[in-house]
Amino acid sequence: MYHSTFPTSPHLEAYLRSGRIISEHETAQDMVTRIVAALEHVDARFDPTGAAAFGERLGWALDTERIVFSTPIMTNAGRHIDRPLAACAVPPVDLRGDLSQVKTIVDGYHRAGMGTGFNLDELDELDDPVGVLRYLNDIAVTGADSGTEDRPVGNMAILSLDHPAAEEFIGCKLGADTRGEAWKFNVSLHVTDAQMRTALGSPGRERDLLIAAAEAAHACADPGLMFADRMNEGNPTPEVGEYVSTAPCAEVGLVAGETCQFGYLNLGRFYAGDAFLPVDLDALAATTRILVRALDDAIEASLAHYPSPLSAQVMGTKRKIGVGVCGLADLLLAAGLPYDSVEGRRLAQEVLTLVNYTSKLASVELARTRGGCPAVLGGRSRYADPAFLRRFADLEVDSVPRGDWAALADQIASTGLLRNSSTIAVPPTGRSAPVVRASTGIEPLFRLSGDEPERPRADVLAALKAAGRTDVLGFVAGHGRLPADATLPERLRAVLATATQISSAGHLAMAAAVQACVDEAVSKTVNLPASARSIDVYDTYATAFELGCKGITVYVDGSRSVQPQALATATAR
């Protein structure tokens, strides 16, 4: 049995305990030990002789902070054995039916640790979509206050731009802070490519609604936009079902009942110092394989414990997993590359492309021994056309040769052997990344200090020391930021730029660069300064569409009366 040596501290223990990720009497090392034991137990169903060795590899990856799981896995694995290990779901509910029954089903998913997504399009004006949304939000708020939920689950509601209630939906959260309303929902407009082109091209209802959306997002960070056609084009198994809604931060589309398991690679731990490509690609690939296998085990552990039989059916058919990342900003900092730079975006694409390719390769290898997922077997998916996967071969990266993508695409098309219908996702990692002292998701640094005032970020100080800026070290160590009048070389100032100092164009460029490397959408907030106007939000929407993004969320600093840090990320999609 693996016994963890995870590096812990009183601060981390308090963080995990206050978040109910560990019990009152557990330690961080106990958490890692039980996670490994739980997944190793499932793994043994498929590989009785190799499961123990796999457990050792997984434990080492967790203890060296190369992998961190989503909070449902950290909270439930080996502890709440009657719960699934999924992070999000689209509950199979009829919003036009008995709403008390809807509450029972949604409460079940929330208590199991899953955020939820809903599509309000099935409701016409007489059904009052915004009224139903407020009812769903009341369910979420009441559940969060009840003490029966171990994690603060997020929720998503989407409505089409052409819905008669779109205008009311756009403004549903305006003034919520002033009125003292608690919201546990993100909201997004579902917009087709044709609608977006019409809105940007000529006056009319579409443009009026897009302007209204920009004005609302400028005031309260909602709604976001979701580009419907692009999301559905990325659905690898449309025969199983069209996407109904998304995860709470819109990084994956989900059919009714579908869930997703997430785990994250801490990219900062793979810095290798090479001048051309400063990443240990072999270690990154090997760790990706470990994570794919662990997440497939997490699905298997969950099948008997979903709140609805439909979730078990869909997950047994599709087996979607989400290999994500955190620590991108840490990696760029260690490499001395500005977040907003061609080189920074190129490095992001190099690592994300390798993770994507390796996760698919690992899923193929699992399919040979465990069986392929039914959604892909028999030529039922978009993978049957090699062009679906070969699109990644167009990326100009060195980490994965074009020919390797082509060979993998042909192999899956001809055999149907793929264990997981999707493998890579980019969630925000807001509660997981701090466990391994990493920056969140693919976001830039929000400050230069750590969560503990007396312990500034070690990687920030190391970068300053390596750059010879010993005169700045003391200030950053004490204040977690640079003085406005600090005299720094332009390059170093760019490397140390935090979220509010990076232009909206820089945020968007990184979102688009990562979008090109992954299966579905990307959770990334475009941060705008307090001086931004609603027209700046509108322009950001337009640019996101033109850059090929599948969705966009904008946050104007100070637009919410309560935000968790100097610039909020809670609404990140």
Side-chain angles (χ1 to χ4, degrees):
M1 178 179 177
Y2 185 81
H3 293 283
S4 171
T5 59
F6 187 83
T8 189
S9 69
H11 175 79
L12 176 60
E13 301 283 339
Y15 173 80
L16 293 170
R17 198 161 287 116
S18 65
R20 298 173 68 166
I21 296 171
I22 61 175
S23 69
E24 181 181 353
H25 303 293
E26 277 190 305
T27 67
Q29 293 178 353
D30 293 335
M31 176 189 73
V32 172
T33 297
R34 64 171 165 76
I35 291 171
V36 173
L39 296 180
E40 182 183 320
H41 177 74
V42 175
D43 201 86
R45 299 177 192 173
F46 304 104
D47 187 4
T49 60
F54 167 71
E56 290 288 331
R57 295 195 298 273
L58 175 60
W60 176 84
L62 290 165
D63 281 347
T64 56
E65 301 179 315
R66 286 167 168 79
I67 285 176
V68 63
F69 285 111
S70 64
T71 49
I73 294 179
M74 290 191 286
T75 302
N76 295 338
R79 179 173 164 222
H80 298 298
I81 60 175
D82 59 335
R83 297 181 186 175
L85 306 182
C88 55
V90 170
V93 295
D94 179 5
L95 296 178
R96 303 182 71 170
D98 182 355
L99 290 183
S100 64
Q101 181 64 22
V102 170
K103 181 181 186 306
T104 299
I105 295 172
V106 172
D107 279 340
Y109 279 88
H110 285 172
R111 283 194 297 270
M114 285 179 274
T116 55
F118 302 89
N119 189 324
L120 305 180
D121 282 342
E122 65 186 77
L123 303 170
D124 58 30
E125 279 189 290
L126 294 178
D127 295 317
D128 188 11
V130 174
V132 172
L133 169 59
R134 291 185 179 277
Y135 179 81
L136 292 171
N137 185 60
D138 287 343
I139 293 174
V141 172
T142 301
D145 293 341
S146 69
T148 62
E149 298 173 7
D150 281 331
R151 67 185 291 247
V153 294
N155 305 277
M156 170 65 79
I158 65 174
L159 188 75
S160 294
L161 184 74
D162 61 359
H163 194 286
E167 187 171 5
E168 184 185 2
F169 178 79
I170 287 169
C172 68
K173 292 177 70 173
L174 283 171
D177 287 348
T178 301
R179 295 189 298 271
E181 293 179 2
W183 276 87
K184 299 295 184 181
F185 265 78
N186 293 322
V187 299
S188 279
L189 279 175
H190 216 217
V191 187
T192 66
D193 286 0
Q195 290 168 346
M196 195 68 185
R197 283 191 289 267
T198 299
L200 297 176
S202 58
R205 183 174 187 267
E206 289 87 352
R207 176 176 286 186
D208 291 344
L209 288 173
L210 194 64
I211 291 172
E215 291 172 344
H218 177 267
C220 69
D222 276 295
L225 294 190
M226 193 179 305
F227 302 126
D229 294 332
R230 296 173 184 180
M231 285 293 291
N232 284 314
E233 286 167 3
N235 178 0
T237 57
E239 187 172 309
V240 178
E242 294 292 332
Y243 287 152
V244 174
S245 188
T246 72
C249 292
E251 64 274 10
V252 291
L254 301 168
V255 305
E258 189 172 17
T259 74
C260 196
Q261 283 65 216
F262 294 129
Y264 315 114
L265 299 160
N266 182 5
L267 297 179
R269 294 294 182 269
F270 296 94
Y271 173 68
D274 182 86
F276 174 66
L277 193 56
V279 177
D280 187 337
L281 297 180
D282 291 339
L284 181 60
T287 309
T288 300
R289 291 174 184 272
I290 293 171
L291 185 51
V292 168
R293 183 166 168 174
L295 290 175
D296 191 67
D297 289 337
I299 290 177
E300 202 66 22
S302 301
L303 289 176
H305 304 296
Y306 289 117
S308 165
L310 182 61
S311 288
Q313 176 188 333
V314 171
M315 291 310 297
T317 300
K318 295 187 66 176
R319 304 190 70 91
K320 175 180 286 187
I321 61 173
V323 174
V325 299
C326 59
L328 174 62
D330 300 329
L331 174 62
L332 296 176
L333 186 71
L337 298 177
Y339 185 91
D340 183 8
S341 68
V342 172
E343 302 95 330
R345 292 186 286 272
R346 169 69 182 273
L347 182 56
Q349 287 198 323
E350 292 282 359
V351 295
L352 266 296
T353 300
L354 180 67
V355 169
N356 187 356
Y357 173 78
T358 306
S359 65
K360 300 288 191 303
L361 197 62
S363 188
V364 168
E365 293 165 354
L366 285 178
R368 292 196 187 107
T369 57
R370 302 184 177 190
C373 67
V376 177
L377 285 170
R380 301 174 58 205
S381 74
R382 284 196 165 112
Y383 290 109
D385 180 358
F388 182 68
L389 200 54
R390 282 187 178 186
R391 70 191 190 275
F392 296 118
D394 294 333
L395 292 166
E396 295 183 0
V397 297
D398 296 304
S399 57
V400 182
R402 290 172 181 260
D404 289 0
W405 275 118
L408 181 60
D410 290 343
Q411 180 182 3
I412 297 173
S414 62
T415 66
L417 284 179
L418 191 67
R419 181 67 173 172
N420 314 99
S421 61
S422 294
T423 62
I424 186 170
V426 186
T429 78
R431 296 186 72 217
S432 294
V435 176
V436 289
R437 299 173 293 172
S439 56
T440 59
I442 61 165
E443 298 289 356
L445 297 174
F446 286 90
R447 55 184 180 271
L448 298 180
S449 66
D451 290 330
E452 300 167 87
E454 73 277 12
R455 289 182 58 193
R457 293 183 64 104
D459 46 11
V460 173
L461 300 185
L464 289 170
K465 186 175 182 180
R469 301 305 304 182
T470 55
D471 55 328
V472 186
L473 281 171
F475 194 93
V476 173
H479 296 76
R481 61 183 175 86
L482 292 173
D485 59 353
T487 302
L488 295 173
E490 183 177 349
R491 178 74 173 185
L492 182 56
R493 183 174 288 278
V495 169
L496 294 172
T498 53
T500 53
Q501 298 165 328
I502 294 170
S503 68
S504 60
H507 284 285
L508 270 174
M510 181 61 81
V514 173
Q515 177 67 82
C517 307
V518 302
D519 288 334
E520 298 188 33
V522 168
S523 175
K524 169 80 182 82
T525 300
V526 175
N527 302 114
L528 298 179
S531 59
R533 303 163 298 164
S534 60
I535 187 62
D536 298 317
V537 178
Y538 180 91
D539 289 343
T540 301
Y541 284 166
T543 304
F545 178 73
E546 291 162 359
L547 288 176
C549 294
K550 294 185 178 181
I552 178 66
T553 301
V554 175
Y555 185 85
V556 177
D557 193 18
S559 60
R560 298 294 307 275
S561 62
V562 178
Q563 54 186 46
Q565 51 191 12
L567 198 148
T569 58
T571 56
R573 306 261 204 273

